[in-house]
Amino acid sequence: MTSQPTTGAPPIVLIHGLWMTARSWDRWVEHYRAKGHEVIVPTYPGFEIEVEALREKPEVIAEASVPATLDHLSEVVEGLDRPPIIMGHSFGGTFTQLLVNRGLGAAAVTIDSAPPEGVRVNPPSQIRSLFPVLRNPANRHRAVGFTKEQFHYAFANTVSREDSDAAYDRLHIPAPGNWVWAYGLIANWKPGHQETWVDYDLDDRAPLLFIAGGKDHLMPPSVIRSNAKKYRNSEATTDYYEFPERSHFTGVEPGWEQVADYALEWATTHAQTHRQGGRT
């Protein structure tokens, strides 16, 4: 039986990243609902169909837009009856920071977050992880997936190949190649602010926690720490915590409950009671 939300428990919005869908949060949804929270798991526009169907429609993925996705996620958050805890994994962490920058949320947690514009740390393991997308400029117009071998290196390097392959079969979809090119490579070198720019110096925003995995190849701790340090001039709460033995797949690999519980405890402790704003 699914537990009903406990009075006073803030709702939780979980945002997935690239190469994944809302399905990647299934265990967290059950875990948090059992603790009495309403849990909302929005997906990107057009991604509402199941994983298997998305694999058959790569054009839906290739044509996805960051601005349209951000607007959709903002509508979800603003449509709730009170400010939620927002949690995002990987590119979902980017969206989480963008939502906080809009004045949304009571507290926010990013897990293995892809950085917004302005973070220029690119460790070798990250370059290797993203090379399947970046090796061909034509991928900017395609939906680009990993092979099972590439997925094991980039996402699930702390689990066996057998377990990684099983997760790949259940969860993996291609990603919009343009997002990797535009926001992972080009944004820091184009003049002006791009779609993933945030005002790191904002004081009036929700508390923000960065969680990193010490063995994450795709978004290594050096990237996450650099992202967190960008907020050093803000008076709003910004914290960083590292799980030393975890990969980019930290929300699914064994022991995910420890991460989920730490994130929730931090967020509920720091959640603000003021009404969320609505910057654009």
Side-chain angles (χ1 to χ4, degrees), residues 148-164:
K148 288 186 175 181
E149 180 179 3
Q150 292 164 348
F151 179 85
H152 186 227
Y153 179 83
F155 264 77
N157 51 291
T158 57
V159 303
S160 70
R161 178 62 187 271
E162 180 181 6
D163 289 344
S164 175

Side-chain angles (χ1 to χ4, degrees), residues 210 223-232 238-240:
F210 287 85
V223 175
I224 311 302
R225 286 194 297 267
S226 181
N227 191 167
K229 287 178 181 177
K230 287 287 185 179
Y231 290 93
R232 61 185 176 273
T238 307
D239 286 343
Y240 171 89

